[in-house]
């Protein structure tokens, strides 16, 4: 029965050693397990949100014209101050008219010659027709006289047309304002040579009202088409911002462009803003703010609960086992210290709002609540 005590002693010693190792492993694992993270949880709520959708925009004049000469010559006069307000029909530039005036006088003289030829041809034709009544002249001569009269009349008509052309050139030596507006800095000075249809003299644009253009995603066309249809005489739906500054006058929607741009998937939308104090200038950029009163309740959470990773947004949602799971969300418009969540959360769920920076997927949490 006790023939081999050494074997029994060795087996017992092995059991004690293994038990001791298991306890050490458990203690080591317990020491290595991350502690529960202290967080503050908050319940997801909904509200009737009122906010502004924002779109980058550019300011353009409703009417703008580049002034170019219609005749070639030298500038003899600049009749305005750079940047001044001009009236429709106001003289802006003069171009040397000597050559064109001489051409006009020559055209007038040529017309007088042609009219004299018509009178002579008419008398010759009348004389031949009288002789023809008495069979005192050959029929061929009568026909020649009628043909000569017709040629003289056509030459007179051509002379009149030439007068119209050269008189137009004389008028084009004066450049007038096409409408009421503001003119820019002149690009030519007196004595400068200009070419017909080529040289840019200046630009005139309207500034009493200015257009503000911005792109709208094609998904929002119905919304903006409805705003266009239901536009009111007085409305604060559309405002314009320049950084933190809000332009004091609201705008009105004027039109949606003809078609969606296939490259960007957006459609150009135009607003009209009054400019009584000349605060707006063509070429400025700003931000169009469109008031949005949500027809349904929106999910709203504290902005500090949101983390961003590679352009995507996440929150940590508390589960039933004192653990959190990371969930992707689609965010909307910020509302002060909060933000609208378009997708990913439901009312009543609990999310971590404090201690978020210490959380990972599946982390244990502890809370006083």
């Amino acid at each position: 029965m006790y023939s081999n005590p050494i074997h029994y002693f060795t087996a017992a010693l092995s059991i004690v050693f293994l038990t001791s190792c298991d306890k050490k492993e458990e203690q080591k694992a317990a020491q290595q397990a991350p502690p529960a993270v202290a967080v503050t949880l908050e319940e997801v709520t909904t509200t009737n949100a009122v906010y502004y959708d924002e779109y980058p925009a550019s300011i353009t004049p409703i009417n703008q014209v580049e002034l170019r000469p219609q005749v070639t010559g030298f500038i003899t006069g600049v009749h305005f101050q750079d940047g001044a307000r001009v009236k429709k029909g106001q003289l802006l530039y003069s171009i040397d008219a000597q050559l064109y005036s001489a051409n006009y006088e020559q055209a007038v003289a040529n017309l007088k010659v042609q009219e004299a030829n018509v009178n002579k041809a008419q008398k010759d034709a009348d004389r031949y027709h009288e002789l023809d009544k008495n069979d005192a002249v050959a029929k061929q001569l009568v026909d020649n006289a009628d043909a000569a009269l017709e040629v003289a009349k056509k030459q007179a008509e051509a002379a009149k047309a030439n007068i119209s052309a050269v008189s137009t050139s004389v008028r084009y030596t004066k450049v007038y304002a096409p409408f009421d507006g503001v003119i820019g800095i002149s690009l030519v000075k007196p004595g400068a040579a200009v070419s017909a249809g080529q040289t840019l003299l200046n630009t005139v644009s309207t500034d009493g009202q200015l257009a503000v253009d911005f792109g709208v995603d094609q998904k929002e066309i119905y919304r903006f088409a409805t705003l266009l249809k239901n536009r009111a005489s007085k409305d604060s739906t559309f405002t314009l911002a320049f950084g933190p500054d809000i332009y004091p006058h609201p705008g009105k929607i004027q039109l949606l462009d003809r078609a969606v741009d296939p490259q960007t998937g957006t459609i150009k939308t135009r607003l009209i803003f009054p400019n009584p104090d000349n605060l707006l200038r063509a070429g400025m950029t700003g931000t169009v703010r469109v008031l949005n009163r949500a027809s349904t309740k929106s999910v709203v959470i504290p902005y500090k609960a949101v983390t961003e990773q590679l352009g995507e947004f996440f929150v940590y949602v508390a589960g039933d086992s004192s653990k959190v799971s990371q969930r992707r969300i689609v965010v909307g418009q910020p509302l002060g210290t909060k933000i609208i969540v378009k997708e990913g959360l439901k009312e009543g769920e609990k999310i971590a709002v404090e201690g978020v920076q210490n959380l990972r997927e599946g982390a244990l949490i502890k809370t006083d609540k």
Side-chain angles (χ1 to χ4, degrees):
M1 183 177 180
Y2 299 98
S3 60
N4 198 355
I6 295 177
H7 290 288
Y8 285 104
F9 176 76
T10 301
L13 184 61
S14 298
I15 293 172
V16 172
F17 178 76
L18 291 174
T19 303
S20 176
C21 289
D22 290 341
K23 289 183 178 180
K24 288 181 180 180
E25 291 295 332
E26 291 177 0
Q27 292 174 357
K28 186 177 180 181
Q31 291 174 355
Q32 290 179 348
V37 180
V39 298
T40 300
L41 299 179
E42 187 169 310
E43 190 172 287
V44 175
T45 60
T46 59
T47 185
N48 291 319
V50 177
Y51 55 92
Y52 287 94
D53 293 317
E54 297 185 343
Y55 305 85
S58 59
I59 298 174
T60 60
I62 296 176
N63 197 2
Q64 178 172 294
V65 172
E66 292 183 342
L67 300 177
R68 299 180 188 271
Q70 298 298 306
V71 294
T72 298
F74 294 92
I75 297 293
T76 57
V78 178
H79 308 285
F80 62 90
Q81 290 185 345
D82 290 343
R85 189 173 301 280
V86 296
K87 295 290 186 180
K88 181 178 180 180
Q90 178 180 334
L91 178 62
L92 302 178
Y93 291 94
S94 297
I95 300 173
D96 186 7
Q98 293 183 35
L99 175 61
Y100 302 104
S101 297
N103 290 340
Y104 176 76
E105 292 174 0
Q106 183 179 3
V108 171
N110 183 54
L111 175 60
K112 292 180 178 178
V113 171
Q114 299 303 327
E115 289 176 341
N117 289 338
V118 170
N119 290 333
K120 179 180 179 300
Q122 184 68 59
K123 291 178 180 179
D124 290 344
D126 292 342
R127 185 179 304 110
Y128 279 112
H129 278 283
E130 287 296 328
L131 294 173
D132 183 53
K133 291 179 181 178
N134 300 320
D135 292 327
V137 68
K139 185 67 175 178
Q140 181 66 38
L141 294 177
V142 176
D143 293 340
N144 290 343
D146 288 339
L149 175 60
E150 195 64 28
V151 169
K153 288 181 178 179
K154 295 299 183 182
Q155 289 175 339
E157 291 177 1
K160 290 180 181 179
N162 186 47
I163 285 180
S164 178
V166 295
S167 64
T168 299
S169 295
V170 173
R171 290 198 303 272
Y172 282 160
T173 60
K174 307 293 184 183
V175 179
Y176 300 95
F179 46 76
D180 293 352
V182 63
I183 194 167
I185 298 174
S186 180
L187 301 179
V188 297
K189 302 298 181 184
V194 296
S195 299
Q198 299 293 322
T199 309
L200 178 61
L201 305 177
N202 212 319
T203 301
V204 178
S205 60
T206 54
D207 65 345
Q209 290 183 322
L210 288 174
V212 176
D213 295 338
F214 61 101
V216 171
D217 190 274
Q218 55 186 341
K219 297 177 182 178
E220 298 185 275
I221 290 179
Y222 178 81
R223 173 192 174 194
F224 279 85
T226 302
L227 290 172
L228 178 62
K229 181 180 179 181
N230 299 329
R231 55 185 172 180
S233 58
K234 292 183 179 180
D235 197 1
S236 58
T237 300
F238 302 98
T239 53
L240 188 61
F242 301 95
D245 300 321
I246 306 299
Y247 184 66
H249 305 286
K252 296 180 180 180
I253 185 169
Q254 184 189 43
L255 60 87
L256 295 175
D257 203 357
R258 179 189 60 83
V260 174
D261 186 335
Q263 295 183 343
T264 63
T266 61
I267 188 169
K268 181 185 288 187
T269 305
R270 170 164 289 185
L271 307 176
I272 299 297
F273 282 82
N275 190 31
D277 304 316
N278 288 326
L279 298 177
L280 301 180
R281 297 297 175 102
M284 293 175 67
T285 58
T287 302
V288 166
R289 303 164 73 241
V290 183
L291 185 63
N292 193 333
R293 295 182 177 90
S295 58
T296 59
K297 289 190 174 183
S298 302
V299 172
V300 178
I301 63 172
Y303 191 76
K304 60 184 178 180
V306 180
T307 60
E308 183 179 359
Q309 299 176 13
L310 300 176
E312 295 185 326
F313 299 92
F314 300 87
V315 293
Y316 287 97
V317 183
D320 296 334
S321 56
S322 298
K323 291 184 178 181
V324 292
S325 60
Q326 192 180 50
R327 186 182 299 175
R328 178 180 173 275
I329 60 172
V330 178
V331 298
Q333 185 71 23
L335 301 175
T337 60
K338 295 190 175 184
I339 191 168
I340 292 175
V341 177
K342 296 181 177 179
E343 297 177 12
L345 286 176
K346 296 185 297 184
E347 184 178 11
E349 291 185 302
K350 291 186 177 181
I351 60 172
V353 296
E354 299 284 355
V356 175
Q357 66 276 10
N358 298 320
L359 292 176
R360 297 292 182 271
E361 174 64 30
L364 289 171
I365 59 171
K366 61 180 180 179
T367 176
D368 296 335
K369 295 184 179 181

